Amino acid sequence: MTFHLSLQQARHLQLAAQGLLSAPRRKASKADALAAVRRMALLQIDTISVVARSPYLVLYSRIGHYDPAWLDQLLAEGALFEYWAHEACFVPVEDYRLLRHRMLNAEGMGWKFSQRWYEQHRAEVEAIIERIRERGPARSADFERKHGKGNGWWDWKPEKRHLETLFTLGRLMVKERRAFQRVYDLAERVLPDWDDARDLPAPEDVRLEQVRNSCRALGLAKPAWVADYYRLKRAPYGEMLRGLADQGELIPVKVEGWSHDAFVHASLAAELELAAAGKLSSGNTAILSPFDPLVWDRKRALELFGFDYKIECYTPAPKRKYGYFTLPILNRGKLAGRLDAKAHRAQGVFEVKSLHLEPGVRVSQRLADDLSSALRRLAAWHGTGRLAISQAPGDLAARILA
C-alpha cells in the first residue's frame, strides 16, 4: 500500500519525528534531555548568546522548561561527546563509532584540519599532548597569548589551533565545558574502553548507520536530504533508501506536488496512518534556534515548509532584512514567521526587536494568544520576567502583550 500525503501532512510527520508536533505534557527531567538528543541524533553547537545558546534552545523547544546545566552534566558524565557531525555537535556517546573514521582520516575534513599546519607545528602540538598527559585537562584560556591581542573570531592563538587540531584528529576530546569553554583531555582518558582494533566498524557500515539515523531523525526523508544530516559526501542515496524500504525500515510515500521518492521511517507507522487519514495535527507553538535540525538544511526548510531562511548575524547590519539572530516561529505545523530577540538578563527583559510573519499568515487572535503563551514561557526560562516587543505587523504586538 502506498500512502498519499498532502504537504501539510508531510510536515506533521517530520515534526513528530523531531519531537515538535506537540508541546511538552509534563515537567522535564535530565533523562528527557538525553532522550531528545538521541531522538535528533545530533545537537549542533553554536556560541552566540543574545538569547540562550543554540543547543540549550533546541532542547527547550522540545522538552520545555529545564535546567541548562543538565546538558553540561550529560557531557561531563560521558553520555554525550563532541565532534564534527553536521557541524560541531553534541552526539550520544554510543555513536562515537560513527564518527571515529573522520578522526582517523582528518585530511578529508576541509577547513577543520590543516595537514600543513600540523606538519609545521608538530613539536608544539605534541608538547600540548604531553602537558595534558602530565598536568591534566586544559582549556585554551590556560595558554597565554604571546604576541599581542587577537583580532576577530578566527585569529586564534597558536595553542588554540593546536588544541583544535588534536580535537579533530581525535587525540583530544572535550571532557566538559566550563562557562561554555571546552576543557580538553586525552581521548583514552575520556573513553578508556574504546579500542579501534576491536570496536571500529567498516566504513560502509558506518555510512549505512548514519543514513539510518538521518531517516529516523527526519521521520520523512527524501534522498537529497539524507547526505546533509551528517554532512556525508554527496551520492545517489535513492538506492540505499529503497533498500531500507525493502527491509521494512522505511515506508514509501507520495507527497502532493513532489515527483521524487519520499520515505517515512517505520517508527512513525502509526502517525503515518493518522496523517493519511487527516487525523494528525499540531497545536504546538515553539520559537526555534537558527541551528535547529528542523531548519538547518535551508533547502529542506524551503521545500517542505516553504520557509526561505537565512541567518543574518554574518551579514553587515545595514544589509540585514530581519535582524541579527532571527529565530523561526513554528505555529501549528507551519513555519509562520521569524523574530529577532535579545535577552537582557541584568534588566530582566526579554526583548523582541522585530517580529515578521510569512506571506499569507494573517494577524489573528489565535495567533496572538499562541505567541503570547510561547514567548512568556521562553522569557521566564531565560530568567527575564518582562516581555517587550518593539516591532510587529499591525496590532500583533499589542495583542500579544495584552
Side-chain angles (χ1 to χ4, degrees), residues 6 49 67 126 152-153 177 194 209 213 230 266-267 302 358-359 388:
S6 69
S49 59
D67 184 350
E126 294 302 324
W153 289 346
R177 280 182 178 257
W194 176 265
E209 195 63 28
N213 279 2
Y230 278 89
S267 62
L302 181 60
E358 289 298 284

Side-chain angles (χ1 to χ4, degrees), residues 8-118:
Q8 188 58 59
Q9 290 166 345
R11 292 168 180 166
H12 284 150
L13 287 167
Q14 189 151 111
L15 293 173
Q18 281 284 319
L20 288 167
L21 187 69
S22 304
R25 292 186 172 89
R26 57 180 175 79
K27 186 177 180 181
S29 67
K30 189 163 75 170
D32 293 323
L34 179 57
V37 179
R38 285 175 169 157
R39 187 174 197 167
M40 295 180 287
L42 307 173
L43 179 58
Q44 187 173 339
I45 300 167
D46 188 79
T47 60
I48 294 174
S49 59
V50 290
V51 293
R53 288 186 174 92
S54 180
Y56 302 105
L57 184 56
V58 170
L59 283 182
Y60 170 81
S61 68
R62 285 156 175 79
I63 67 175
H65 195 105
Y66 77 102
D67 184 350
W70 291 348
L71 182 58
D72 305 327
Q73 291 165 11
L74 290 168
L75 176 66
E77 292 163 4
L80 303 174
F81 76 102
E82 287 189 33
Y83 197 64
W84 300 107
H86 179 77
E87 287 296 333
C89 288
F90 294 112
V91 187
V93 72
E94 58 267 25
D95 286 344
Y96 177 81
R97 59 196 172 85
L98 303 183
L99 297 170
R100 179 61 176 155
H101 279 286
R102 297 186 180 185
M103 304 173 193
L104 297 174
N105 298 281
E107 294 87 349
M109 295 290 285
W111 65 267
K112 302 174 183 71
F113 176 76
S114 169
Q115 184 67 33
R116 181 179 179 185
W117 174 274
Y118 178 59

Side-chain angles (χ1 to χ4, degrees), residues 367-388:
L367 176 64
D369 291 344
D370 288 346
L371 288 173
S372 179
S373 178
L375 286 169
R376 290 182 192 283
R377 290 195 306 267
L378 182 61
W381 179 64
H382 276 83
T384 49
R386 186 164 71 87
L387 178 65

Side-chain angles (χ1 to χ4, degrees), residues 5 7 254-260 303:
L5 304 174
L7 198 56
K254 295 292 184 183
V255 177
E256 178 185 8
W258 292 3
S259 59
H260 45 69
E303 186 169 9

Side-chain angles (χ1 to χ4, degrees), residues 84 111 145 151-157 160-161 164 314:
W84 300 107
W111 65 267
R145 181 183 285 273
N151 181 27
W153 289 346
W154 300 108
D155 183 19
W156 287 345
K157 56 191 172 187
K160 170 65 172 173
R161 289 196 66 176
E164 290 296 315
Y314 309 113

